[in-house]
Amino acid sequence: MQERSLELVAKNVQSIDADYLDAVVRYYTALFLCQTLRSKKMLSIELGKVVLHINDKLQHQSSEWDIIPILCELLLSHRRIAETVQTLWTLQKLLVHHQYRTGHIWYYAICMDVLLDTSCCVESYRRCENFYFKNRESFLAQRDTFASARLFANLWLWCVRYGAWVAADNWLELMREYFSLSVHDSTINIHTAIRIIEGMVLTLIYHIEARNTTQTRRVRAEIETLLGNVGQALSVNRNHVARFELMRIYYRQVVAPDRGSSACRRQLAAAAKRAQRRNDHLCHDHIQHTAKFWHRELPPALETFWLDHAAGSNQSDGASQSQSFNAGSPFGISNEQLYDYASCILNHERIYPYSMPLPLVPMNE
């Protein structure tokens, strides 16, 4: 009935009141956001698809761009890679008709989400970086800071994972201009905050191993403040509880490692069960991967898969390096082939999480 209704409306779209059509889109969008807030993920996904379908079928510009990153988050949490990428392609089609800069930023930000969470490359780091350099002036005029904050956080985290610290510092400076978190913040910004926590923990490990006590204390204080802020925000919006719990376990294991490993194993097992109950299959896989990695139960190829494939060679992504923060294969990053979307689909949408390292030396108090 929905499909037939859309076909009828599409044939007579010129005679339909634009305000009425906008009201329909807003109604479905409100339902989508409401169910998302209640963590009704399956229903949220279906409602989000309805909104996108209306936009696609009727070439109608929705003012509710926020549903696209949220819908992609939900699809990714269900480990539905193909549908996530198809949603990105839908976004691209919408942007052909409506030159909306925030939509372009979200496209590249979500591509980085997919890369960071699954190893699957829709757009490479280089292409996302080039997008910023080609459009940096338009970022200054952005009213929607969520999109810019996510893109910069993702680019920063990519660099931090590879230890490309000069480039990371540049992205960090940009990210701080756009990111802030409030108690009643959106699921979008909470997701960005959890990305930042991971990057800060990796930064903490860097300072611990360098035995830089001053920086270690500074970063610890920042992490604990952000953990507290995210915890408060999650009391209202529970969508990223499982991912947040994984980051808390990670931080505790860095600053106060469980030497016997039994307590840590129990914590990870409990977190995995919670993720499963919340239908957060992606986070469940990340937790399982982390548990195996920390307890040396992964094959070497899986331990380093993300690092080996998330950069790609200079030739593999075709992106220009005329403007760059100098993060890439010339700086010791792997030159392996990207795990592209086609490879992911041929591999039955298998994901390869990043292996979160622990310090090689104990932390000095």
Side-chain angles (χ1 to χ4, degrees):
M1 287 178 66
Q2 175 188 306
E3 183 65 30
R4 180 60 181 151
S5 298
L6 283 173
E7 288 176 1
L8 289 171
V9 173
K11 290 177 182 177
N12 301 279
V13 69
Q14 299 302 325
S15 61
I16 294 176
D17 187 342
D19 290 339
Y20 173 76
L21 189 58
D22 191 56
V24 172
V25 174
R26 287 179 179 275
Y27 173 70
Y28 273 106
T29 300
L31 285 176
F32 167 79
L33 294 173
C34 179
Q35 296 305 321
T36 301
L37 192 62
R38 296 175 62 193
S39 296
K40 302 290 186 181
K41 291 185 178 181
M42 293 299 295
L43 181 55
S44 297
I45 287 171
E46 294 310 312
L47 290 168
K49 286 182 175 180
V50 170
V51 176
L52 290 188
H53 196 39
I54 292 172
N55 287 335
D56 183 39
K57 195 82 174 180
L58 307 183
Q59 296 186 2
H60 171 74
Q61 181 181 11
S62 169
S63 60
E64 305 293 347
W65 289 91
D66 283 358
I67 76 157
I68 293 176
I70 296 173
L71 179 58
C72 286
E73 285 180 13
L74 294 171
L75 289 168
L76 270 180
S77 74
H78 275 260
R79 219 174 48 241
R80 290 154 69 169
I81 312 302
E83 290 180 64
T84 303
V85 175
Q86 287 161 12
T87 303
L88 284 170
W89 290 342
T90 299
L91 173 58
Q92 277 192 313
K93 286 171 64 178
L94 289 171
L95 293 172
V96 169
H97 302 290
H98 309 286
Q99 290 301 313
Y100 191 56
R101 182 55 58 187
T102 299
H104 288 282
I105 296 172
W106 269 126
Y107 171 77
Y108 285 97
I110 297 167
C111 286
M112 286 298 299
D113 280 332
V114 176
L115 179 61
L116 290 167
D117 283 341
T118 71
S119 293
C120 176
C121 179
V122 182
E123 299 284 356
S124 68
Y125 168 87
R126 287 289 185 204
R127 287 189 179 276
C128 296
E129 180 188 51
N130 285 348
F131 166 75
Y132 166 72
F133 281 115
K134 289 177 181 177
N135 300 277
R136 66 167 80 191
E137 291 183 3
S138 66
F139 279 77
L140 300 175
Q142 286 302 309
R143 294 181 180 178
D144 180 359
T145 59
F146 288 173
S148 299
R150 175 70 65 79
L151 178 61
F152 294 144
N154 284 345
L155 292 168
W156 169 69
L157 179 56
W158 187 96
C159 292
V160 169
R161 285 183 179 183
Y162 277 113
W165 296 107
V166 173
D169 286 345
N170 286 307
W171 293 124
L172 180 61
E173 184 177 344
L174 287 167
M175 181 185 71
R176 283 176 168 163
E177 293 179 19
Y178 290 88
F179 176 77
S180 62
L181 185 70
S182 64
V183 174
H184 299 286
D185 222 322
S186 73
T187 186
I188 292 173
N189 224 26
I190 293 171
H191 186 176
T192 302
I194 294 172
R195 284 263 188 260
I196 294 170
I197 291 171
E198 181 192 334
M200 291 174 73
V201 174
L202 291 170
T203 304
L204 176 63
I205 292 172
Y206 171 73
H207 291 308
I208 290 171
E209 293 181 342
R211 301 190 183 277
N212 189 329
T213 306
T214 301
Q215 290 298 328
T216 296
R217 288 174 179 164
R218 178 187 63 79
V219 176
R220 277 196 70 177
E222 290 180 359
I223 293 171
E224 288 172 8
T225 298
L226 188 54
L227 283 170
N229 292 342
V230 174
Q232 284 186 313
L234 284 171
S235 65
V236 178
N237 191 324
R238 307 286 294 169
N239 273 324
H240 296 293
V241 167
R243 187 185 289 256
F244 176 66
E245 182 60 24
L246 175 58
M247 288 300 112
R248 281 203 306 188
I249 293 171
Y250 187 27
Y251 174 64
R252 286 197 297 265
Q253 193 64 8
V254 168
V255 299
D258 171 29
R259 302 299 180 189
S261 79
S262 58
C264 178
R265 191 183 286 271
R266 286 196 302 272
Q267 290 169 1
L268 288 169
K273 287 181 180 178
R274 281 193 290 273
Q276 197 79 322
R277 284 198 301 269
R278 300 188 67 83
N279 290 320
D280 196 338
H281 306 303
L282 180 72
C283 188
H284 177 269
D285 283 4
H286 281 209
I287 294 168
Q288 296 282 64
H289 178 92
T290 299
K292 290 177 181 178
F293 176 59
W294 287 354
H295 296 97
R296 300 182 180 180
E297 297 169 359
L298 281 179
L302 294 185
E303 286 188 356
T304 61
F305 188 95
W306 192 93
L307 290 172
D308 289 342
H309 295 273
S313 67
N314 294 336
Q315 293 77 28
S316 65
D317 64 5
S320 168
Q321 295 189 52
S322 58
Q323 290 182 302
S324 172
F325 281 145
N326 290 333
S329 48
F331 295 82
I333 293 174
S334 171
N335 227 17
E336 295 284 345
Q337 187 69 29
L338 290 164
Y339 181 54
D340 60 18
Y341 175 65
S343 301
C344 180
I345 296 304
L346 288 172
N347 202 18
H348 306 289
E349 301 186 52
R350 182 173 179 180
I351 70 163
Y352 296 92
Y354 171 69
S355 300
M356 297 190 297
L358 296 172
L360 298 176
V361 298
M363 189 182 73
N364 294 324
E365 294 294 340

